[in-house]
Amino acid sequence: LLRAGMSVSPDVAPKRKAGMDMASLVTHTKSCDVPETFVESAKDWPLWDSETQKQEPLGSGKFPFNYNGDYATERVLIISGKATLAPDDGSAEIVLETGDSVYFHHGFACQWTVHEVMTKRYNYFDKDGALKTPAAIACDKCGADCEAESYLVNGEEDVCPECYVNEKLTGGEHQKFGEPVQVEVQTKKAKKK
């Protein structure tokens, strides 16, 4: 089922126009309407478990999430559980339950509230609907590929050098290809008299 403002292809997000709510960046299909072909294709996708997601506050089932990676759409099949998604712009909440499918289009941002522990199968697709392998490390701020160089902030957030500087972040661990950059400490040799 298409939500208002959605294009014919669920892989192509509509251009957000003034007055268009963020919920239009989600295509949600209730379990009774999910095609069997979608269920079959999702069987080999990676599995996500809500218990592994950092929650704020701890154990609350609540966490913010921005779909801003280097993909056009994240497709999801809910395997178990129940959650409510509250779009950041205050538009209508979306309730996800076992068996539902969801297409999250690039730019969607929301607050998750997991009511029953959730597992989901997911994968990433480009604007033409082809499977896309996301960057090994993508900036959690802008979505840019930052595998070659990034900063690990607060032990979990990958940030590209540009966002790190622009947002005036500090204390991040400088990394290259996911490994800490060793800082060379130069010592001055004492001059002999």
Side-chain angles (χ1 to χ4, degrees), residues 1-191:
L1 299 175
L2 297 178
R3 295 184 61 84
M6 291 306 301
S7 58
V8 175
S9 169
D11 286 306
V12 180
K15 299 276 188 235
R16 280 195 75 204
K17 300 174 189 159
M20 183 180 229
D21 65 21
M22 189 165 280
S24 66
L25 295 176
V26 175
T27 305
H28 176 215
T29 305
K30 295 302 253 172
S31 61
C32 59
D33 295 321
V34 175
E36 188 57 36
T37 54
F38 184 85
V39 174
E40 279 300 312
S41 68
K43 284 185 178 178
D44 294 325
W45 293 353
L47 183 68
W48 174 85
D49 184 325
S50 64
E51 291 187 313
T52 65
Q53 183 71 38
K54 182 182 177 195
Q55 299 172 14
E56 301 169 9
L58 185 64
S60 67
K62 295 180 179 185
F63 58 90
F65 201 85
N66 296 316
Y67 294 84
N68 62 0
D70 65 343
Y71 52 85
T73 303
E74 178 183 337
R75 294 183 193 175
V76 169
L77 178 66
I78 306 300
I79 303 301
S80 64
K82 182 176 181 179
T84 302
L85 280 58
D88 284 358
D89 69 352
S91 56
E93 291 186 342
I94 302 157
V95 178
L96 305 180
E97 298 180 289
T98 301
D100 291 357
S101 72
V102 190
Y103 284 39
F104 294 109
H105 300 286
H106 188 273
F108 180 67
C110 66
Q111 173 74 29
W112 278 72
T113 301
V114 177
H115 307 289
E116 298 169 12
V117 174
M118 179 172 280
T119 57
K120 67 177 184 173
R121 295 281 181 184
Y122 68 96
N123 227 325
Y124 304 100
F125 294 81
D126 66 19
K127 65 180 177 56
D128 298 320
L131 187 62
K132 178 167 179 36
T133 303
I137 300 175
C139 178
D140 291 326
K141 301 286 185 190
C142 72
D145 180 348
C146 61
E147 182 177 14
E149 183 176 18
S150 63
Y151 289 86
L152 184 64
V153 179
N154 298 325
E156 67 177 44
E157 189 174 31
D158 294 306
V159 180
C160 70
E162 185 176 342
C163 289
Y164 190 80
V165 170
N166 290 345
E167 296 196 17
K168 298 179 178 146
L169 300 173
T170 60
E173 177 184 74
H174 187 204
Q175 297 185 341
K176 291 192 177 186
F177 298 97
E179 296 296 325
V181 173
Q182 299 299 319
V183 178
E184 293 183 28
V185 178
Q186 296 181 357
T187 58
K188 293 182 181 179
K189 294 183 179 181
K191 291 183 182 179

